Amino acid sequence: MKTYFDIIRDVSNLRWSVVDPDPTSFTEVQKAVKLAVAQANSYIWSLDDFPFKIKKEIVKINKGQSALLAPKGNVIEVWTENGNSYLEEIKAKDADFLSVEKSGAPVCYWLEFGDSGAEIHLYPKPERDLTLFVRYLTNYKARSQTGDLKVNLEEMDDTLNLPDDRTVEDLYLHCLNCKAMEYLIADTTDENYQPYQKEFLEAYKALLKLTGVKLEPRLIF
């Protein structure tokens, strides 16, 4: 898997690149280049619900515990061990008048943001200890050299949070390199901007096809 610094050097050597083509150290890389690569990663990651973004978290819930911190991402489904169906998601305002005292097997959940982030609230509150399963789309777009999840690329040895599949990595990097160059050129009237925009769209369609995404891409210009 290529590192953040590897990606920066690749972008720096692309045709019509406006930055130093051969940075010898991460510290001497211009901030604009670092930002363009990280920004491109954020942009592509958020475009569609790629299958490799889907994760599952298993949490032990104590009797009477009605809320827990949600995973860092967009919750898709919640269910309990030995349950027969997914819990129903309701809106936070629809939970305002539910009895906080009622206990039993949870049948629904809602999300609310507290000081520590998004929380999953259960109704009714569990009448016994149970195991909760949460499927979600992760917001972590990078990994450290030791494998720790990170919101985005920061350190020179960070890598993309992609599966160990060279084909996926290659296509994702093709998209990322093109989008980073769009950010670096910046001027949409520049004759070099349009070719990178076109190449990005073609590479992105190939990435969607490879990963089996059927939805229309949410492209924003």
Side-chain angles (χ1 to χ4, degrees):
M1 189 76 69
K2 287 198 172 185
T3 66
Y4 188 16
F5 192 33
D6 290 334
I7 299 169
I8 286 172
R9 284 187 289 196
D10 287 346
V11 170
S12 300
N13 278 279
L14 290 173
R15 64 190 185 282
W16 308 317
S17 180
V18 294
V19 298
D20 181 4
D22 191 26
T24 57
S25 69
F26 186 71
T27 54
E28 73 178 35
V29 175
Q30 297 176 31
K31 185 176 181 179
V33 182
K34 294 177 181 178
L35 182 60
V37 171
Q39 188 176 358
N41 187 33
S42 289
Y43 177 84
I44 298 165
W45 190 269
S46 301
L47 280 179
D48 268 290
D49 298 340
F50 299 106
F52 55 75
K53 290 169 55 177
I54 299 176
K55 308 295 180 183
K56 184 170 71 174
E57 189 164 302
I58 303 173
V59 186
K60 297 294 183 181
I61 302 296
N62 297 323
K63 176 182 177 181
Q65 180 182 346
S66 60
L68 65 149
L69 281 177
K72 301 299 182 184
N74 301 326
V75 175
I76 302 173
E77 294 143 347
V78 178
W79 69 102
T80 59
E81 187 177 34
N82 301 323
N84 295 320
S85 62
Y86 298 118
L87 301 188
E88 178 187 2
E89 181 180 8
I90 63 174
K91 296 180 180 179
K93 68 177 183 178
D94 293 334
D96 288 343
F97 304 105
L98 295 177
S99 171
V100 296
E101 301 301 324
K102 185 174 181 179
S103 62
V107 295
C108 64
Y109 75 95
W110 65 95
L111 298 173
E112 287 195 34
F113 278 86
D115 292 338
S116 299
E119 299 174 335
I120 297 174
H121 292 257
L122 303 174
Y123 178 82
K125 62 184 179 182
E127 62 185 352
R128 60 180 178 81
D129 295 349
L130 55 82
T131 301
L132 193 73
F133 299 86
V134 182
R135 183 174 287 118
Y136 65 101
L137 289 164
T138 182
N139 285 337
Y140 288 110
K141 298 175 280 294
R143 290 181 178 273
S144 70
Q145 194 64 23
T146 57
D148 295 326
L149 292 171
K150 307 183 72 170
V151 172
N152 208 338
L153 299 163
E154 296 176 341
E155 306 298 330
M156 66 177 294
D157 291 330
D158 290 346
T159 60
L160 299 169
N161 186 19
L162 297 176
D164 187 16
D165 184 320
R166 292 296 299 275
T167 307
V168 172
E169 181 190 12
D170 182 65
L171 268 179
Y172 191 95
L173 283 173
H174 191 177
C175 295
L176 191 154
N177 291 346
C178 293
K179 182 55 66 173
M181 281 299 297
E182 286 184 43
Y183 290 141
L184 288 169
I185 296 172
D187 184 0
T188 58
T189 64
D190 189 300
E191 63 179 357
N192 299 324
Y193 183 92
Q194 298 299 328
Y196 274 112
Q197 185 181 61
K198 180 180 179 181
E199 189 173 346
F200 168 78
L201 291 173
E202 292 173 349
Y204 185 69
K205 289 177 183 177
L207 180 63
L208 290 178
K209 184 176 181 180
L210 176 68
T211 56
V213 177
K214 303 299 183 183
L215 300 176
E216 287 296 320
R218 300 186 288 270
L219 298 180
I220 303 172
F221 299 107

